[in-house]
Amino acid sequence: MTAGAQLWVFVFVFAAVSVASAVFLGLRFLKGRTELRSDRQKMEAQLERAEAQLREQTRQLVRMRGERAALSELFRLLPHTVRELNRSDLDSRKIPQLLAQLVEAAFEPAQILLFRRSPETDATRGRLLQLVFHKGLTDPSLPRTTVRIGEGKIGWVAEHMVDMLPEDWLNLTRTEGQSIPDNHPALRVDLIGPLVHRHREGSEELLGVLCIGEPKHRLSDERLALQMITNLGSIAYMNVLNVTRLREQANQDGLTRLLNKSFFMQRLGEMIIEGERKGSPIALFIFDIDHFKHYNDSNGHLAGDEVLRGVARVLREQLRPEDVACRYGGEEFVVAMPQTDEGAAMQVAERIREAIASTPFPRAENQPNQRLTISGGVAVFPVDANTGTELLQVADQGLYQAKGAGRDRVVRSRGVRIGEAARAEAEAIACLREGVSDGER
């Protein structure tokens, strides 16, 4: 091969190698750019994930700080609130405010509602819950402040006595496959917890329902926090109820369940102070059962006890809620009637006398009057006396006058007699007392 041909071959090979090298380098460059772009995209995706994680961690940190602050405030209030809820002289009207303080500390909600089970039953709606406390309820269109047990989410919780969180309503297995509607747009109920008392024998009694709307803090253990508050409320309400029952038992006559003498005199004194302040009258009616010794001797003391219980039952049926009845001793009873003048007092006394006389007590036909009857006297504060003791003395004079006049009647007794009239009346009453012994009453 000639030198020229060799040169051309060399040039051709060099060119081919150069082109191949350039192509190879170009391909490597393109591949590098692609890899760089892919790496960049991966890095951007990783950076985006990292930023999302950072945002989530920041959100969780803020949430944890808020939860920590809420729990710190809750634990700060808890000892004082529990101490107040455990007071033996706790007024049940203060319980909602104390529970609301704990709810505020733990959740900072926009709305708090506390319903108590109503002792009354509506003829058409059945058992009811009564709203006794609210915060953040500003809608004037709310039609009523009662909820029927079983009605809406609040009524459902009351009926089933289980606490519910927002996500629980989405799980139909919690509601036995039912979709439970809201009660009213004004009632925001994100967290709902029942106040339940569990009796020793295992039965459960609903006391109320606590509703928390739009809480600022959703605690990680919010169900436990809700249960703690509702349990404290249940304990407080039952403590108040038990203390009230014990006081009533201590102040009641064991046989008739009317007030006993000592507590009645205390209440009468309070009534007189209130009557003086308001300038209103207080009537007193004292009576006893005619020929009660005869009934006991004829039928036995157990039968006599049943008569006393029956008289107390009739007496309660005839009185207003503000009236106070007492078994004063033996077969003697006293009724104090605030804001009652002479005319109204005599009407009430006659109504009680007639109600007892018309009651078919066992073997009452064997009594001297062929039925069980009473005799009594009526006196009125302040026209007849200025103190409870004096008022009782004046009314008691009327009782003995009724006995002396033939029994089965009510006498209007009057206080403040002057001169000979007073001495004559005192002598007459003394004679009556001598002639009408306790056994003959």
Side-chain angles (χ1 to χ4, degrees):
M1 181 180 298
T2 63
Q6 291 178 348
L7 179 63
W8 282 107
V9 169
F10 174 78
V11 170
F12 177 77
V13 171
F14 178 78
V17 171
S18 298
V19 170
S21 300
V23 170
F24 177 77
L25 291 175
L27 292 175
R28 287 293 304 271
F29 177 74
L30 291 175
K31 181 179 180 182
R33 289 190 63 182
T34 303
E35 290 177 350
L36 286 174
R37 186 181 298 112
S38 176
D39 291 342
R40 178 181 176 182
Q41 291 174 347
K42 290 179 181 179
M43 291 180 64
E44 289 176 348
Q46 290 176 354
L47 182 59
E48 185 175 344
R49 286 195 297 270
E51 289 175 349
Q53 291 176 355
L54 180 61
R55 288 193 298 269
E56 177 63 19
Q57 290 175 356
T58 302
R59 189 184 67 82
Q60 291 287 348
L61 181 60
V62 171
R63 178 178 175 274
M64 290 175 61
R65 285 176 176 173
E67 181 175 340
R68 180 179 178 182
L71 291 175
S72 177
E73 179 65 12
L74 176 63
F75 291 143
R76 186 186 68 81
L77 284 176
L78 199 56
H80 168 75
T81 305
V82 171
R83 186 166 56 250
E84 289 298 309
L85 290 172
N86 197 39
R87 290 172 63 101
S88 61
D89 60 345
L90 175 64
D91 187 337
S92 62
R93 292 172 296 183
K94 294 183 179 179
I95 295 176
Q97 288 87 348
L98 293 170
L99 296 182
Q101 290 178 7
L102 297 180
V103 173
E104 285 278 5
F107 299 101
E108 291 189 44
Q111 189 178 89
I112 303 173
L113 307 172
L114 180 62
F115 292 85
R116 286 296 312 279
R117 189 191 65 183
S118 174
E120 301 177 357
T121 300
D122 187 89
T124 57
R125 302 176 65 208
R127 297 177 301 157
L128 299 177
L129 296 169
Q130 181 71 41
L131 183 65
V132 297
F133 177 86
H134 66 86
K135 171 190 173 295
L137 183 61
T138 58
D139 191 342
S141 66
L142 188 65
R144 55 175 175 257
T145 56
T146 57
V147 172
R148 179 178 61 83
I149 294 180
E151 177 183 49
K153 292 180 178 179
I154 298 174
W156 190 92
V157 168
E159 183 177 26
H160 293 81
M161 292 187 280
V162 295
D163 46 81
M164 295 290 283
L165 307 182
E167 53 271 18
D168 293 333
W169 300 110
L170 303 176
N171 183 3
L172 295 183
T173 59
R174 290 290 306 270
T175 59
E176 301 175 351
Q178 300 179 15
S179 179
I180 310 300
D182 293 327
N183 289 88
H184 189 275
L187 305 179
R188 290 167 280 176
V189 288
D190 295 288
L191 312 176
I192 314 177
L195 278 68
V196 178
H197 174 66
R198 290 168 179 81
H199 293 278
R200 182 177 299 177
E201 64 274 14
S203 62
E204 294 184 334
E205 177 184 357
L206 177 73
L207 303 179
V209 175
L210 175 65
C211 305
I212 301 173
E214 298 181 5
K216 181 178 179 180
H217 303 300
R218 294 295 305 272
L219 307 179
S220 55
D221 293 324
E222 61 185 354
R223 192 186 301 274
L224 293 178
L226 176 63
Q227 291 175 350
M228 180 191 70
I229 296 172
T230 55
N231 287 339
L232 285 174
S234 302
I235 293 171
Y237 276 119
M238 287 307 300
N239 281 346
V240 170
L241 179 61
N242 291 332
V243 169
T244 302
R245 287 172 177 170
L246 288 173
R247 286 175 178 167
E248 289 177 350
Q249 291 175 4
N251 297 326
Q252 285 179 348
D253 170 63
L255 181 64
T256 63
R257 313 310 300 170
L258 299 177
L259 295 183
N260 58 34
K261 179 178 178 180
S262 60
F263 189 66
F264 172 82
M265 293 304 296
Q266 177 183 332
R267 291 291 303 275
L268 179 59
E270 294 170 354
M271 284 184 179
I272 288 178
I273 293 173
E274 185 71 8
E276 287 178 336
R277 188 178 66 84
K278 293 183 176 180
S280 59
I282 300 167
L284 198 73
F285 174 40
I286 184 169
F287 69 89
D288 70 7
I289 302 172
D290 295 328
H291 304 292
F292 186 68
K293 184 177 184 302
H294 178 273
Y295 189 94
N296 265 343
D297 292 344
S298 302
N299 304 297
H301 288 280
L302 291 179
D305 288 346
E306 287 301 319
V307 164
L308 292 173
R309 277 192 282 263
V311 168
R313 182 172 58 253
V314 174
L315 184 58
R316 278 191 291 265
E317 293 171 352
Q318 299 299 319
L319 299 179
R320 304 169 300 177
E322 61 268 29
D323 297 333
V324 178
C326 157
R327 183 188 177 195
Y328 198 67
E331 72 277 18
E332 201 166 37
F333 297 83
V334 185
V335 179
M337 296 170 279
Q339 300 181 0
T340 305
D341 59 16
E342 174 182 339
M346 287 299 293
Q347 290 179 4
V348 173
E350 286 293 343
R351 188 173 71 239
I352 293 172
R353 183 190 64 80
E354 293 171 0
I356 292 173
S358 62
T359 300
F361 291 98
R363 295 180 288 278
E365 66 278 3
N366 297 326
Q367 287 291 90
N369 292 342
Q370 286 77 53
R371 58 181 180 166
L372 198 77
T373 61
I374 65 170
S375 299
V378 170
V380 180
F381 167 88
V383 297
D384 298 318
N386 294 320
T387 68
T389 302
E390 292 174 354
L391 195 63
L392 272 167
Q393 290 173 348
V394 175
D396 197 44
Q397 292 172 6
L399 165 61
Y400 278 97
Q401 290 173 12
K403 292 289 188 182
R407 296 182 173 85
D408 189 19
R409 67 194 65 214
V410 176
V411 171
R412 168 69 173 96
S413 182
R414 300 184 184 278
V416 190
R417 297 294 186 265
I418 300 174
E420 294 298 327
R423 285 193 292 272
E425 182 176 334
E427 291 172 359
I429 292 172
C431 292
L432 286 172
R433 289 184 182 275
E434 291 177 1
V436 183
S437 67
D438 289 344
E440 295 172 335
R441 287 189 179 186

